[in-house]
Amino acid sequence: MTTRARLTINAATATALTSLCLLPLVTTHGWFVQALLLVAVAAAAGAGLRRLAVAGWAVTPLQLLIVLYALMLLSVRRSMTWGLLPGGRALDALSSLLTQAGTDLGQYAVPAPDTAGLRLVLVGSVALIAVLVDALAVTHRRAAAAGLPLLALYSVGCGLSGVGSGSWIWFLPAAGGYLLLLRAEGQDRLSRWGRVFSGTGKATNTPPVHNGHRVGVIALVLAVAVPAFLPQAGLGLVGAIGGSGSGTGSGSGYRVTSLNPVVALTESLHRTDPVPLLQYRTTAQSVGEMYLRIGALDEFNGVDWRFSPQKLQQRPEPLPKPAGLSSAVAVTQASTHVAISENLRTDWLPVPYPASSVSVQGNWRYEPDTRTLVGADGQKTDGLTYDVTSLDVRPTAEQLRSAGPVPPDLPGRYLQLPDSLPAQVAKTAQEVTAGKDNAFDRAVALQDWFTSPQFHYDTDIEAGTGTNAILKFLQDRRGFCVHFASTMAAMARTLGIPARVAIGFTPGSSSDGAVYVVRSTNYHAWPELYFAGTGWVRFEPTPSAGQGAIVPNYTRPETAPSAGATTAQPSDQPSDAASASPGATNSCGAGHRAEDCSDQQTAATQTVQGEPWWLSWRALATYSLVALALALLAVPALWRARLRRRRLGAGRHLAGAERKALSDAQVLAAWQELIDSAWDLGIPPDDASTPRRTVARIAQLGLLDGQAQAAAGRVALATEQVLYARETGPVPPLGADVLATRDALRASVGRYGRLRAVLLPPSAARLWWRATERVGAVQQAVRGRFDALAGAVRGAVRRVLRRPPEEDGRS
């Protein structure tokens, strides 16, 4: 393999290893395979163009065109003519993906879903870095400068993922890849410039190699230091969950800052130390059912549930009447005073649903479709206190059963389903609701099915609301509130019931019955379904009844609204606390129809192939650590093999007339190799002995036969001639003799001895000695320069002090 080919491979490897730091940014890692493919395409394109002797200035632009074509094949192939030729449609599709990527970057927090737009940005960014690294390191032979684009990639990946993602782990493969690139560059320069010999006769590589190494060390230091100083913004992918906030609760320093409420919810439920987020006082009679809502995910695109484009407007006062609510439904008013701690920093204002009036300071806009209040111009919730007047809507089950058809003015997105939703979801919904003749009873049947013992609450399941996550949830029947709410909403839409996923908090707990505290583990998700005459109605499919999440009264049998009705007070446990162990419950929970529990239909589910475990970021990080450990273990063996080749030279394979005479330095190198080979195989060196006595000792301890002893003797004789003879004649190559002696020594030791000699050669200690000698030489040189500078300063000071005073010039 040529040195340029080796440099190309190492440039591609450095880019691939550095791009590992992007894995925590996305929930799935299928994009990484595409990125590796484009890295290989960039390397192959560069190698091919250089082999065709294309002008250096034209190689990089042509590489970019080839990589762009490969990227279009991966992302917009369906829009290309005949699936191969790019055209106007393909460019339009590529532009649409970039527009979607811009929207996704502003909407999602880390880790974001693997949308087509984000996949295009990630894969394209890695491919661009691969081209830049290849151009700098191979085309222009500036491997040290190639660290700059690698540093940019590493800084962006670690800066976005934040300290909570263990970003320091990704430095290990990135640094290893860059060092491999520098090593390949040193070999390339060495092959073109040759070794430089010092006055002592020792070969040194300092001039060609060390300049690149110095720049490389500076780049690596910057790679470690720069991410520590990058700012952590609170928007989109830059928004971190859990930062360096100044919260005053028990979890000091914790903040919920994600722009994506599903991600913030997941992070909050995974905390082992619940953090107070807000507290409130209320006049509501049924506090147990008063959820504090921050928003509703009303668009389902197959990848996840998300906010549709929000039509924000100036906040009216009072707020408009809830859509679809008729005067026949019982309604009471409640006043609530809310105080938010510094631990909760979001763009949405938590309010009871539906709020009719909000008195709050700051710039808050109103979104009419979901009735949410969204901060504008950087407005956040932390530290706010405000008052809310809300409606306690209490429909009866009979009113919901007799609800009319969906009004035509209701936005159609509440019934839209993605084409990627498998038919099995709708089939399961039909089976569960079989025999129900109205939308409300079907919704209650879904709720009761999810809260039955067939499903188990488990916060260790990976968060996800897309079609794959829904199918996996229906298969495994394990998850937490996000899975229950998103799956029930999707199944309700298949039944023709408008649905969305609400995000907010359950009521929390109170020690005195007056002030209620909402903690991070009260973060919750639930489905809202629309019924004409009532509007949006809450359902509770998460099986945690009696633990903070309350099944609505109107879904229980034989309930009716009453002004003096009392409801269960909130539990001291968080809403999404883990349920009992699987299978521990043999009967329905509170609020469930017993007849429905016995008549539940078991829906046939489809086996879903989730993301392979070997592609998870934890597995890839493990692979990187194992590869780094193996590389470190291989350093002594590789160094010994390289040193052996350098000492013996090409003449080790020659014989007879093909041999040429050796120089004194080569004879001494062959002798040193013989000594080190014996050392590796268990015979340590004795510097006090002559070469002849050393060979006799090696022959005795190594049980050498006559032929091996003769070979070792020839090496010793040549060495003595160099060291002691006044004049020496021509010396034939000694490589074959050294190798013959080494083979005989290997045959005399066991398998363990041979394996140790290869993997952990004792003579590798010379590598450490050489490094310490160089460090000592550098320290001595620095000390000498410092002493010289100090001497010059002292001499200048003395001259100034000893200068005689000038005479006054009087005669």
Side-chain angles (χ1 to χ4, degrees):
M1 181 185 296
T2 63
T3 55
R4 174 168 279 188
R6 187 180 296 110
L7 195 59
T8 302
I9 293 174
N10 281 276
T13 302
T15 304
L17 291 176
T18 306
S19 63
L20 288 173
C21 67
L22 301 178
L23 290 176
L25 301 183
V26 182
T27 55
T28 58
H29 307 131
W31 67 269
F32 189 67
V33 178
Q34 297 183 0
L36 293 181
L37 178 60
L38 285 188
V39 170
V41 169
L49 291 170
R50 286 185 290 268
R51 190 171 183 83
L52 293 175
V54 176
W57 63 267
V59 171
T60 302
L62 291 176
Q63 270 184 288
L64 288 173
L65 288 177
I66 295 173
V67 169
L68 177 61
Y69 176 74
L71 181 63
M72 294 178 70
L73 284 178
L74 291 176
S75 56
V76 294
R77 184 171 180 269
R78 293 183 179 180
S79 300
M80 299 174 69
T81 306
W82 301 321
L84 293 174
L85 301 178
R89 291 180 59 241
L91 294 178
D92 290 341
L94 196 65
S95 176
S96 299
L97 283 180
L98 290 174
T99 302
Q100 177 188 342
T103 302
D104 294 340
L105 287 171
Q107 179 172 3
Y108 292 115
V110 175
D114 186 12
T115 64
L118 292 181
R119 190 184 311 118
L120 176 67
V121 171
L122 289 172
V123 175
S125 300
V126 173
L128 177 61
I129 295 298
V131 173
L132 292 178
V133 171
D134 185 84
L136 290 172
V138 188
T139 302
H140 301 290
R141 297 185 181 274
R142 296 289 185 270
L148 295 177
L150 292 176
L151 173 61
L153 183 63
Y154 175 83
S155 300
V156 169
C158 295
L160 292 181
S161 59
V163 295
S165 302
S167 58
W168 60 271
I169 296 176
W170 309 115
F171 172 74
L172 300 179
Y178 185 55
L179 291 178
L180 285 175
L181 181 59
L182 291 180
R183 179 176 178 273
E185 181 222 19
Q187 293 177 341
D188 177 60
R189 290 194 177 190
L190 211 61
S191 67
R192 292 185 288 117
W193 289 94
R195 293 183 177 86
V196 178
F197 288 88
S198 64
T200 61
K202 294 183 179 180
T204 62
N205 298 332
T206 301
V209 178
H210 273 247
N211 288 334
H213 285 182
R214 293 190 186 100
V215 177
V217 169
I218 294 175
L220 292 181
V221 171
L222 290 176
V224 176
V226 169
F229 298 98
L230 289 180
Q232 295 287 336
L235 296 175
L237 286 173
V238 183
I241 303 170
S244 57
S246 58
T248 58
S250 59
S252 180
Y254 173 84
R255 279 192 177 188
V256 179
T257 61
S258 172
L259 186 61
N260 187 338
V262 174
V263 179
L265 185 154
T266 304
E267 179 74 10
S268 298
L269 296 185
H270 285 167
R271 287 184 58 85
T272 57
D273 52 336
V275 175
L277 299 180
L278 60 90
Q279 62 182 19
Y280 65 91
R281 296 173 177 268
T282 183
T283 61
Q285 296 179 352
S286 54
V287 182
E289 293 191 34
M290 194 186 77
Y291 285 25
L292 297 176
R293 183 172 171 278
I294 61 174
L297 311 177
D298 52 356
E299 181 178 313
F300 184 39
N301 59 8
V303 176
D304 59 2
W305 285 84
R306 62 169 65 180
F307 294 110
S308 62
Q310 296 179 325
K311 299 173 292 186
L312 300 180
Q313 55 185 238
Q314 292 292 335
R315 174 169 55 93
E317 190 60 36
L319 301 181
K321 178 183 176 181
L325 180 60
S326 69
S327 58
V329 178
V331 176
T332 59
Q333 281 195 346
S335 297
T336 304
H337 177 76
V338 183
I340 299 181
S341 74
E342 298 291 336
N343 296 324
L344 181 61
R345 179 179 174 84
T346 71
D347 297 89
W348 300 278
L349 196 67
V351 294
Y353 184 84
S356 58
S357 177
V358 180
S359 176
V360 59
Q361 298 294 323
N363 191 1
W364 294 93
R365 300 296 180 90
Y366 177 68
E367 206 289 312
D369 288 342
T370 58
R371 298 184 67 85
T372 56
L373 295 176
V374 183
D377 300 329
Q379 179 67 54
K380 302 294 181 181
T381 57
D382 49 324
L384 278 180
T385 59
Y386 52 96
D387 295 295
V388 183
T389 301
S390 60
L391 303 179
D392 183 8
V393 182
R394 312 182 71 184
T396 64
E398 191 57 39
Q399 286 175 326
L400 296 173
R401 287 192 184 96
S402 59
V406 178
D409 57 344
L410 189 71
R413 66 174 179 275
Y414 293 116
L415 285 172
Q416 287 180 352
L417 291 168
D419 296 336
S420 59
L421 184 69
Q424 188 66 36
V425 178
K427 180 181 178 183
T428 301
Q430 294 290 342
E431 293 173 350
V432 171
T433 60
K436 308 301 180 181
D437 57 0
N438 61 80
F440 175 71
D441 286 339
R442 296 189 186 100
V444 173
L446 289 176
Q447 173 182 274
D448 293 345
W449 182 61
F450 284 117
T451 53
S452 70
Q454 298 182 44
F455 287 85
H456 304 285
Y457 187 89
D458 188 353
T459 57
D460 292 332
I461 304 300
E462 183 178 358
T465 60
T467 55
N468 290 338
I470 288 175
L471 278 178
K472 185 172 179 57
F473 171 67
L474 291 177
Q475 171 198 351
D476 299 339
R477 305 198 176 183
R478 307 185 72 87
F480 54 98
C481 57
V482 167
H483 303 92
F484 287 94
S486 60
T487 304
M488 179 172 173
M491 295 175 73
R493 287 191 178 187
T494 66
L495 299 173
I497 307 175
R500 62 192 185 190
V501 177
I503 303 290
F505 305 93
T506 51
S509 59
S510 174
S511 59
D512 57 4
V515 178
Y516 291 84
V517 178
V518 174
R519 296 176 170 83
S520 56
T521 45
N522 288 111
Y523 237 129
H524 192 52
W526 63 92
E528 291 180 343
L529 277 58
Y530 186 90
F531 293 90
T534 303
W536 291 101
V537 178
R538 178 179 69 88
F539 285 80
E540 188 53 81
T542 303
S544 53
Q547 296 180 348
I550 304 299
V551 175
N553 277 330
Y554 43 78
T555 64
R556 303 175 184 178
E558 300 179 359
T559 60
S562 172
T566 60
T567 61
Q569 292 298 313
S571 168
D572 289 339
Q573 301 294 329
S575 68
D576 280 320
S579 61
S581 59
T585 306
N586 297 321
S587 60
C588 289
H592 300 140
R593 292 192 176 98
E595 62 271 23
D596 287 343
C597 291
S598 61
D599 294 338
Q600 293 289 345
Q601 298 283 344
T602 302
T605 57
Q606 175 179 341
T607 301
V608 181
Q609 294 294 336
E611 181 185 359
W613 65 268
W614 46 269
L615 279 180
S616 66
W617 72 267
R618 292 182 179 87
L620 292 173
T622 303
Y623 300 156
S624 301
L625 292 177
V626 171
L628 181 62
L630 293 177
L632 293 177
L633 290 175
V635 167
L638 295 175
W639 177 80
R640 268 301 279 127
R642 180 175 178 271
L643 184 61
R644 184 180 301 113
R645 288 193 301 268
R646 191 177 69 181
R647 283 171 171 175
L648 301 182
R652 66 188 185 275
H653 299 304
L654 302 179
E658 297 177 341
R659 296 183 174 182
K660 296 181 180 180
L662 299 181
S663 66
D664 292 352
Q666 290 172 318
V667 171
L668 295 178
W671 171 250
Q672 192 65 55
E673 178 57 31
L674 179 64
I675 296 298
D676 286 350
S677 296
W679 188 6
D680 294 341
L681 293 165
I683 304 176
D686 183 6
D687 296 333
S689 299
T690 63
R692 194 170 303 182
R693 294 191 61 180
T694 299
V695 166
R697 176 171 169 268
I698 292 174
Q700 180 183 1
L701 297 178
L703 304 176
L704 298 183
D705 56 16
Q707 187 177 359
Q709 289 186 39
R714 287 190 292 270
V715 179
L717 179 60
T719 303
E720 288 181 343
Q721 290 178 355
V722 170
L723 293 176
Y724 308 125
R726 181 173 298 178
E727 294 181 0
T728 60
V731 179
L734 300 173
D737 293 333
V738 174
L739 293 179
T741 306
R742 179 174 177 268
D743 292 339
L745 290 173
R746 286 173 54 86
S748 66
V749 299
R751 180 180 302 175
Y752 171 76
R754 292 193 296 269
L755 185 63
R756 188 193 64 173
V758 173
L759 297 180
L760 297 173
S763 64
R766 297 188 188 277
L767 183 62
W768 172 254
W769 297 342
R770 182 180 302 176
T772 55
E773 287 175 359
R774 291 187 177 181
V775 172
V778 171
Q779 291 176 345
Q780 186 176 1
V782 172
R783 190 179 299 113
R785 292 184 180 182
F786 179 80
D787 292 341
L789 179 61
V793 172
R794 284 195 300 268
V797 172
R798 291 193 190 101
R799 286 193 297 271
V800 171
L801 295 178
R802 293 176 181 176
R803 181 178 299 172
E806 295 181 2
E807 297 184 1
D808 55 9
R810 292 178 297 177
S811 56

